[in-house]
Amino acid sequence: MLRVLILSLVCFLMSVNLVEAKTTVSSQPFGKLPDGSAVEIFTLTSGAVEARIMTYGGILVSMKVPDRTGKVADVVLGYDTADGYFGNSNNPGTAYFGALIGRYANRIGGATFSLDGKKYSLPANNNGNTLHGGPHGYFNQVWKAKKIPNGVELTYVSKDGEEGFPGNLTATVRYTLLGADLKMEYSATTDKDTVVNLTNHSYFNLAGQGQGTILQHQLTLNASRFTPVDAGLIPTGELKSVDGTPFDFRKATAIGERIDADNEQLHLGKGYDHNWVLDNKGGKLSEAAVLYDPGSGRQLRVLTEEPAIQFYSGNFLDGSVKGKSGATYALHAALCLETQHYPDSPNHPDFPTTELKPGGRYHTVTVFSFSSH
Ligand code: GLA
């Protein structure tokens, strides 16, 4: 009896210890913005894996993961200081490195939409359209932060009328790290009918940030259709089959293999910059994408409850930006896999709705799951 008791006590203590050893969370000041507002950075550590998230823009500043030999590298593009990100957010060449995007991720055509018969005008910041919530979108705001088990909870309240959107919207994003899984749990409530579409805009290079291009990375997208775009990268409304096109990533394919193909959609996007309609629907967490770097053996799986994903192959990176440790980010130095609702949904009644009403709750989960082989 005594032996059983001692054994169970040992097991209990071990399990407590294991739970505690899982992820540590710490926070430090991370400088000030030009207007004097203080920025904090949270470090989530689980063994060799480390994610750092700052309160400005809710930005994933670094993501360190081991390769197949155990060598750790930071696999997201960015800057060494909060100031670097601030400068970039306020540039015409804004890249949105690592940022949380809202109130509406991707584009709203003509910078306008109607809701309940009322027309809303938004600031146009991208060829007459609104991109990533406008120039003062969520990526460009300081979020309130609170430590939670295994991570950090960020909250931002955008005011009724801010960047043209109706309703006071309270958005909360919980970043947690479990093993090598970085989970983002997004939620939002409103006091007026509105639209909402939140995502994270990390730029991945699994060889390590600053280590060449992602053209050799192999990508799988679990999507049989995508939404073709016009010259302003606004969906035409068609859901087009990927069959027989350079947009078919249903089998792992090197990104560089067809990126220069003579294809009208690739010309319009200057490469891949499109929304793939995921085959798995129904708000269940499902695998959307797998990205693999044969060189390092690092792999990223993207799981999401969202109906779509924007695969952007870093087509606007041109080497003009100096990133972390002086790295230069040239064309295709990284790629984004932005889980989302379809771009311009407020103007496409037949797309899955992005409307949120008072009393309702927007809630969606995306996981960046890292491994190596
Ligand atoms: C998104 C857009 C791209 C580009 C990047 C940021 O992925 O779809 O067109 O604007 O953001 O540069």
Side-chain angles (χ1 to χ4, degrees):
M1 183 62 189
L2 193 64
R3 272 180 61 190
V4 173
L5 258 178
I6 290 174
L7 249 174
S8 24
L9 188 68
V10 169
C11 285
F12 172 73
L13 287 176
M14 273 177 66
S15 67
V16 168
N17 224 338
L18 279 180
V19 170
E20 278 175 2
K22 246 183 210 161
T23 302
T24 59
V25 182
S26 65
S27 64
Q28 289 90 35
F30 196 55
K32 284 191 168 52
L33 298 182
D35 72 353
S37 30
V39 177
E40 251 189 307
I41 192 159
F42 286 74
T43 306
L44 286 42
T45 312
S46 162
V49 179
E50 181 199 88
R52 301 190 86 202
I53 294 131
M54 73 162 148
T55 52
Y56 174 65
I59 290 172
L60 178 62
V61 172
S62 65
M63 183 77 231
K64 292 186 179 156
V65 292
D67 70 2
R68 65 161 79 84
T69 68
K71 191 171 161 240
V72 171
D74 180 0
V75 296
V76 294
L77 269 49
Y79 301 96
D80 293 321
T81 62
D83 231 39
Y85 289 91
F86 184 81
N88 181 254
S89 296
N90 291 284
N91 251 337
T94 300
Y96 310 94
F97 288 148
L100 293 179
I101 308 291
R103 179 175 309 199
Y104 197 95
N106 212 280
R107 292 173 179 78
I108 295 185
T112 179
F113 68 96
S114 293
L115 186 62
D116 307 327
K118 198 170 170 235
K119 192 175 162 188
Y120 294 95
S121 293
L122 314 171
N125 58 342
N126 190 256
N127 306 317
N129 305 313
T130 302
L131 177 63
H132 293 330
H136 305 286
Y138 293 6
F139 65 91
N140 205 358
Q141 305 292 342
V142 178
W143 294 58
K144 280 213 169 66
K146 177 172 111 187
K147 220 162 128 172
I148 55 170
N150 305 316
V152 56
E153 178 181 288
L154 301 173
T155 303
Y156 178 67
V157 181
S158 54
K159 296 265 154 43
D160 186 11
E162 190 174 311
E163 299 295 79
F165 293 98
N168 293 295
L169 190 97
T170 304
T172 301
V173 181
R174 295 162 71 99
Y175 279 100
T176 49
L177 183 67
L178 275 185
D181 286 1
L182 182 69
K183 176 174 167 187
M184 286 144 290
E185 183 184 353
Y186 303 86
S187 46
T189 54
T190 182
D191 61 2
K192 258 189 200 169
D193 288 6
T194 192
V195 293
V196 56
N197 188 25
L198 307 180
T199 195
N200 173 282
H201 208 298
S202 288
Y203 282 70
F204 296 102
N205 183 325
L206 297 180
Q209 67 86 27
Q211 300 296 310
T213 76
I214 46 74
L215 295 175
Q216 302 301 319
H217 281 38
Q218 291 168 6
L219 178 66
T220 310
L221 293 172
N222 295 318
S224 308
R225 293 172 302 168
F226 74 108
T227 52
V229 291
D230 66 15
L233 301 187
I234 302 297
T236 59
E238 186 193 354
L239 305 186
K240 193 174 160 52
S241 166
V242 297
D243 237 342
T245 76
F247 291 79
D248 192 349
F249 281 94
R250 289 173 295 183
K251 285 203 193 99
T253 310
I255 290 164
E257 201 172 303
R258 301 165 302 185
I259 200 168
D260 294 321
D262 188 12
N263 173 283
E264 195 211 354
Q265 284 297 314
L266 283 174
H267 294 322
L268 290 171
K270 298 190 166 46
Y272 295 105
D273 190 358
H274 296 76
N275 172 68
W276 272 256
V277 175
L278 296 171
D279 290 339
N280 285 318
K281 354 180 159 50
K284 265 184 41 205
L285 193 68
S286 320
E287 183 186 278
V290 182
L291 183 67
Y292 180 68
D293 170 35
S296 66
R298 291 193 190 89
Q299 177 172 281
L300 162 65
R301 281 173 75 226
V302 180
L303 306 155
T304 191
E305 295 179 353
E306 286 299 293
I309 194 165
Q310 183 87 10
F311 161 39
Y312 166 59
S313 52
N315 315 329
F316 299 120
L317 298 173
D318 61 3
S320 61
V321 156
K322 278 266 174 297
K324 294 173 193 173
S325 317
T328 311
Y329 301 142
L331 182 69
H332 309 312
L335 63 91
C336 303
L337 293 166
E338 306 153 62
T339 57
Q340 62 183 3
H341 271 57
Y342 310 175
D344 200 30
S345 294
N347 292 312
H348 292 271
D350 47 331
F351 285 178
T353 185
T354 51
E355 286 175 28
L356 181 69
K357 292 186 186 313
R361 184 167 179 255
Y362 170 90
H363 184 260
T364 184
V365 172
T366 290
V367 179
F368 294 149
S369 179
F370 294 94
S371 57
S372 64
H373 61 264

